[in-house]
């Protein structure tokens, strides 16, 4: 299985959020996200990382992560490189979870507490309301996020 495309998405009402969608030749996709400075992270993903990721096995997560953060500028990063690599890492782990038939929280280390209670009981019921069918597939907006860039092999 190899990475065949990297797509990025942004929505106007969430200008600082960038979603990264990685596609494979096996038809398995992964979704990652990052926050703050979406435009800069998007440029870094497509201009610096895509060439290192396209054609690679998405299950080699640690190898690919080291490749993403071993660039000369990444060592003195102000955040762009690491946040972009983090979004890609989440998408790769999402692919791994689908291949292994594991929920993504297991892929990220498993459960860390037996149960969780809300510290704001009045808000808890509102936070648990199911997503309405009119919302986008990402569950964030009534408008579909717009594809902003795509990287594919040349």
């Amino acid at each position: 299985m190899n990475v065949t495309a990297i797509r990025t998405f942004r929505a106007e009402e969430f200008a600082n959020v960038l979603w990264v969608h990685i596609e494979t030749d096996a038809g398995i996709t992964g979704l990652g996200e990052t926050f703050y400075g979406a435009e800069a992270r998007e440029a870094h993903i497509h201009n610096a990382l895509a060439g290192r990721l396209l054609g690679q096995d998405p299950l080699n997560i640690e190898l690919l992560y080291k490749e993403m953060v071993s660039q000369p500028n990444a060592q003195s990063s102000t955040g762009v490189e690491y946040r972009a690599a983090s979004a890609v890492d989440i998408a790769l782990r999402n692919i791994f979870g689908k291949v292994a038939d594991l929920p993504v929280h297991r892929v990220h280390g498993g459960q860390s507490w037996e149960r969780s209670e809300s510290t704001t009981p009045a808000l808890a019921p509102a936070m648990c309301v199911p997503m309405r069918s009119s919302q986008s597939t990402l569950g964030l907006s009534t408008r579909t996020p717009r594809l902003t860039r795509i990287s594919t092999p040349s």
Side-chain angles (χ1 to χ4, degrees):
M1 175 169 43
N2 295 312
V3 174
T4 56
I6 301 169
R7 299 174 189 265
T8 50
F9 296 87
R10 288 189 275 156
E12 288 178 21
E13 59 268 53
F14 299 101
N16 273 321
V17 179
L18 177 70
W19 290 279
V20 179
H21 186 258
I22 296 180
E23 300 172 8
T24 69
D25 57 359
I28 300 171
T29 62
L31 183 66
E33 66 179 280
T34 186
F35 177 78
Y36 190 70
E39 188 173 346
R41 278 127 188 88
E42 180 177 50
H44 184 70
I45 287 168
H46 291 287
N47 297 338
L49 300 183
R52 296 168 183 247
L53 297 168
L54 291 168
Q56 299 296 317
D57 183 344
L59 302 181
N60 291 334
I61 298 169
E62 291 301 317
L63 178 70
L64 294 175
Y65 188 81
K66 287 177 187 174
E67 180 69 22
M68 289 187 287
V69 298
S70 68
Q71 298 179 32
N73 290 341
Q75 302 307 316
S76 60
S77 172
T78 57
V80 171
E81 295 85 358
Y82 284 102
R83 286 181 190 241
S86 173
V88 170
D89 182 73
I90 293 168
L92 294 174
R93 290 178 189 275
N94 187 225
I95 291 170
F96 179 82
K98 289 176 181 180
V99 169
D101 197 27
L102 292 170
V104 76
H105 79 277
R106 288 260 191 240
V107 175
H108 283 277
Q111 185 173 335
S112 60
W113 55 80
E114 194 61 35
R115 62 183 275 216
S116 175
E117 294 183 23
S118 172
T119 57
T120 55
L123 295 178
M127 294 166 55
C128 298
V129 173
M131 190 169 59
R132 292 186 197 134
S133 60
S134 64
Q135 291 177 314
S136 75
T137 56
L138 296 175
L140 296 172
S141 167
T142 55
R143 290 183 284 187
T144 302
R146 147 181 87 83
L147 173 65
T148 48
R149 283 189 73 178
I150 182 171
S151 289
T152 56
S154 301

